[in-house]
Structures are given as C-alpha cells and as structure tokens.
Amino acid sequence: MIVPRFAALAATLLFGQVSGPRADVWLEADTRAAAVERKVIDWRRDIHAHPELGSREVRTAALVAAHLRALGMEVREGVAHTGVVAVLRGGLPGPVVALRADMDALPVTEEVDLPFASKVRTLWAGKETGVMHACGHDTHVAMLMGAAEVLSQMRERLPGTVKFFFQPAEEGPPPGEEGGAALMIKQGAMENPAPEVVFGLHIGSMHEAGTLAYRPGAAMAAADVLRISVKGQQTHGSAPWGGVDPIVVASQIVLGLQTIVSRSVDITKEPAVVTIGGIDGGNRFNIIPDKVDMVGTVRTFDEKLRDDVHRRIRTIAEGIATASGAVAEVQIDKPYGVTVNDPELTQLMLPTLKRVAGEGKVILRDRVMGAEDFSFFAQRVPGLFVFLGGTTPGTDMTKVAYNHSPRFRVDESALLLGVRTLTHLTLDYMIQAGGQ
Ligand SMILES: [Zn+2]
Ligand SMILES: [Zn+2]
C-alpha cells in the first residue's frame, strides 16, 4: 500500500510549507496553470456550446485527441466508443498516475442566459429536447486538457507517467448499449501502463468557487436500477373477483418496500434509500389491467447492505404478489458502484488539497446519495475523487440550481483551481512515491 512507504515524506507536503526542494516544482506548475487558464475557459465555452450525449461525444473527443497529440502524447481513440486515453511519460522514473474527466452532456434544455449557451436539440425517449452540459462535464474536459498541457510542459522533470482518461457516458450509455468507465476498463484502459492510483474531480453548485470538498471512504452511493413487473389477470373494473388486480398488488408492494429502510436497516451505521420513481399500468377507468410495471432506485454505501436490501426487495415484492395470486418479477441492475475514496490515499493527499486551495477552503463534506462511475476505476486501484466548488462566492446557497438543472451555472473562476488540483495531486503523488 501507499501510505506506509510515504508516511515520512507526506509530512513535507503540509500546508504552509513553501520552501524546500518541491517549492519550485509547485511554483512552476502554478505559473504554467495560470498561463493556460484563458485557454481552459475558451475550451469550456466551446464544449458547452456543443454538448454531446453519452457515447456520442465525437466532436469533444476529436478536440481532446488533437490537443493531446499536439502535446506529443501517445493517444488512443475510440475507447468505449468515444473515449480518449493518452499517456505522458515523464523524464524521470516514477509511478503511473491516472487522471480522469467525463465528457458527456444531458438531455436538458438550457435556461441559462449565456452567449455560449447550448442551442443543440435532440430526440430523447421519443421527445424533442435540448442537450446541455448540465452536470459541468464541459469544465472537467477543459480542466483536464489544461492539466495535460501543464504536465506535458513539465515533462522533463516529471518523476513518473501520467495516464489521461477522457471518458464517455458517465451519465449512462444509451439504452441497450454498454459504455462509460466499465467499458473503458474492459477495453484495457487500466493496462499498459497500469496506473497505481486514479484521481478525478467533479464541479458542483453546492460549494463556492475557490473551495474543494472531499470525503474519505464511501463518498458517493451505489445507484441501482430497480424494475418490478407485477402480473395479475385482466378483468372488468366492476367485477374484480373475476381476475387478479395488479394495481392493488403494486400499491401494497410500494408500501412494503418502505419498511426496508424504516424497519430493517440499522440506520445508526449506514444510510440507504429505496425509491419507486414510476408506476405504469392500466388505461381505462373500468378495466383492471393484466400488468403493472414499476421502476425505482436503490442507494447504498456498503456492499453487504446493498445485497441485503436487494434480497429484501425480492422477498417483499414476490411474497406480497404470491399472497394475492399475482406474480412479481424483480430485476435489479447495478450500473454504478460505491465511489470509495481510499482512506490512506485521501489522508496522504489532503495536505496537497489544503495547500492548493488555501486555508479554510477545503471542506470535509457529507456523503452524497448521487453516484459516479469513477467508482469503477477506484475499484481497481486506490482512487480519490474531489468536489470542486462552482458557485460564485456570496451567492445565497439555498437558491442555487443543482447539477442537472436547466439553470445550472458555473463560475469559471473555479477552473484554475481545478487545473491546479489535478496537476498538484499528480506531482505530489509522484514526488512522494520516490521521484525527485
Ligand atoms: Zn451528472
Ligand atoms: Zn457528473
């Protein structure tokens, strides 16, 4: 593991220490990051004006690949459809560090009044809608392009290798397709060379620009997709005894599922959420239908609890259906694992975050019930996923539009801190791992 080897060295990275052999590396990184800031903002605006949905990030990927090639990197395109993987070999020996940014936008119609607001439209689930970088992945791409430029300019003194993952479809691939981080890994992203650690960040409106937030251990939930199909027997609405009513059975199942978290989960140890988000059945006031379909989600931070909740969902749904003469079919997909920040790696890199953001600007935050497919990279090697504040300081935080809102907006002054964070995490990890 990482920490025992570097425990002594970690002390040298404490906030406030600006002298010593590393100070000039940090200074060079900051000078170069400041020089690239304007370009990062311009890239972000260009990508924001041209958002692309998951696994369809063709223009974005071409922009990224051209930039990385111009920096002289080895570049592999078409990973998991539109992903880009690049390798930057430093001039000195050292570990392989992976940095990840996601590239996809969402089917959201932008309502932010900006000269570079998205006007892109698409068909989504049969309806015309806008496409918008409503989760800020445009900034992630731009910041990692900036960090790639800074690190490549420092190549000669870089003690190790940097692997860049520009990932498609974080929000999920199109229905029926594979995609995202899991497919990138399947297609060899974590090999040749294999990274020792992986870093990533996510911009968010819940914190002010200029701040970083982190959470050691399980930081973001696993997000499972739940589908329950209740099969009854169609009959006339006036004569329910002639069939089996799946609407009543589905209603009982919805209520039964509420008892999982409220009666069965030890909430002093682990939170969990079970939500039914959609019910679809029946088409006329006097017909009891054959079938009701329900969809929902399960959120947990612990694999054992995750399995236990799944087991209880099946038992409750199937048991209630059986008791009523119906049949319940339960399907649970697991597109997102728990995003775990390796506790030792987090501890090791915390001084870097504090030094880069400054005193009082690094927040230990609560767990997030949202999910991230960065989790798949962090299942392979120790990972650290940092939250970057994106809201203009002084804004009333109770009125801020969250990520995924059509009114989500980013204060671009946050981007330089993002570039510096990615760059310094890489440099500090490499230096601590024994480089110079
Ligand atoms: Zn999102
Ligand atoms: Zn996101």
Side-chain angles (χ1 to χ4, degrees), residues 273-339:
V273 169
V274 178
T275 292
I276 293 295
I279 305 183
D280 179 25
N283 65 354
R284 201 170 195 282
F285 76 101
N286 61 353
I287 299 174
I288 289 170
D290 257 342
K291 194 161 84 97
V292 169
D293 291 314
M294 298 190 277
V295 290
T297 187
V298 179
R299 304 291 167 116
T300 51
F301 292 93
D302 175 83
E303 287 297 334
K304 263 171 74 181
L305 178 60
R306 189 183 194 185
D307 290 344
D308 186 55
V309 170
H310 291 186
R311 186 181 57 76
R312 289 179 189 277
I313 288 171
R314 289 180 202 284
T315 306
I316 288 170
E318 290 165 6
I320 288 174
T322 303
S324 311
V327 175
E329 284 170 8
V330 179
Q331 188 193 329
I332 303 173
D333 295 328
K334 298 160 84 170
Y336 295 89
V338 182
T339 303

Side-chain angles (χ1 to χ4, degrees), residues 102 104 106 134-137 170-171 202 371-372 403-404:
D102 42 8
D104 53 325
L106 287 160
C135 203
H137 299 183
E170 190 286 323
E171 306 281 0
H202 204 304
E372 245 300 332
N403 293 49
H404 291 206

Side-chain angles (χ1 to χ4, degrees), residues 347-429:
Q347 204 54 41
L348 183 71
M349 303 320 299
L350 189 54
T352 304
L353 302 182
K354 290 184 173 167
R355 193 188 68 239
V356 171
E359 187 80 71
K361 300 282 189 183
V362 178
I363 301 150
L364 173 62
R365 63 157 303 157
D366 294 337
R367 288 186 272 198
V368 180
M369 292 315 287
E372 245 300 332
D373 79 351
F374 180 84
S375 52
F376 292 110
F377 295 116
Q379 281 170 4
R380 296 300 179 105
V381 295
L384 175 59
F385 194 67
V386 179
F387 301 97
L388 176 70
T391 292
T392 304
T395 307
D396 178 352
M397 295 307 262
T398 63
K399 296 200 168 67
V400 165
Y402 279 11
N403 293 49
H404 291 206
S405 161
R407 290 170 295 283
F408 174 73
R409 64 161 66 228
V410 163
D411 184 325
E412 290 171 334
S413 71
L415 304 192
L416 177 59
L417 177 58
V419 174
R420 293 177 57 233
T421 301
L422 292 165
T423 307
H424 283 252
L425 284 171
T426 306
L427 291 169
D428 282 0
Y429 184 84

Side-chain angles (χ1 to χ4, degrees), residues 52-58 80-82 104 168-169 172-174 177-180:
E52 296 169 298
L53 292 176
S55 293
R56 303 290 184 269
E57 307 90 336
V58 176
H81 303 297
T82 46
D104 53 325
E177 292 183 24
E178 273 186 275

Side-chain angles (χ1 to χ4, degrees), residues 119-373:
K119 296 181 180 67
V120 176
R121 300 193 72 78
T122 192
L123 264 186
W124 179 259
K127 288 183 193 148
E128 203 197 319
T129 178
V131 181
M132 176 190 175
H133 268 293
C135 203
H137 299 183
D138 51 339
T139 70
H140 302 170
V141 176
M143 289 186 286
L144 191 55
M145 285 169 74
E149 184 157 330
V150 171
L151 289 164
S152 73
Q153 288 167 345
M154 298 176 73
R155 179 192 301 241
E156 290 313 312
R157 64 189 306 187
L158 202 63
T161 295
V162 193
K163 207 157 178 189
F164 297 89
F165 296 147
F166 287 87
Q167 185 212 300
E170 190 286 323
E171 306 281 0
E177 292 183 24
E178 273 186 275
L183 188 58
M184 282 190 93
I185 294 168
K186 211 165 152 183
Q187 295 183 355
M190 294 293 272
E191 291 138 39
N192 299 320
E196 194 172 297
V197 289
V198 58
F199 297 118
L201 51 75
H202 204 304
I203 199 157
S205 54
M206 281 140 82
H207 300 286
E208 292 186 344
T211 63
L212 296 172
Y214 75 103
R215 177 97 205 161
M220 297 182 77
D224 307 319
V225 180
L226 171 62
R227 289 187 183 82
I228 303 176
S229 186
V230 181
K231 289 181 178 148
Q233 193 191 323
Q234 188 158 331
T235 184
H236 200 289
S238 68
W241 55 88
V244 176
D245 185 348
I247 290 182
V248 172
V249 176
S251 308
Q252 289 175 321
I253 291 174
V254 171
L255 294 179
L257 296 180
Q258 307 310 308
T259 64
I260 297 176
V261 175
S262 71
R263 305 291 85 176
S264 307
V265 173
D266 182 349
I267 56 160
T268 64
K269 296 196 171 58
E270 284 293 335
V273 169
V274 178
T275 292
I276 293 295
I279 305 183
D280 179 25
N283 65 354
R284 201 170 195 282
F285 76 101
N286 61 353
I287 299 174
I288 289 170
D290 257 342
K291 194 161 84 97
V292 169
D293 291 314
M294 298 190 277
V295 290
T297 187
V298 179
R299 304 291 167 116
T300 51
F301 292 93
D302 175 83
E303 287 297 334
K304 263 171 74 181
L305 178 60
R306 189 183 194 185
D307 290 344
D308 186 55
V309 170
H310 291 186
R311 186 181 57 76
R312 289 179 189 277
I313 288 171
R314 289 180 202 284
T315 306
I316 288 170
E318 290 165 6
I320 288 174
T322 303
S324 311
V327 175
E329 284 170 8
V330 179
Q331 188 193 329
I332 303 173
D333 295 328
K334 298 160 84 170
Y336 295 89
V338 182
T339 303
V340 178
N341 286 324
D342 183 272
E344 293 182 336
L345 181 65
T346 309
Q347 204 54 41
L348 183 71
M349 303 320 299
L350 189 54
T352 304
L353 302 182
K354 290 184 173 167
R355 193 188 68 239
V356 171
E359 187 80 71
K361 300 282 189 183
V362 178
I363 301 150
L364 173 62
R365 63 157 303 157
D366 294 337
R367 288 186 272 198
V368 180
M369 292 315 287
E372 245 300 332
D373 79 351

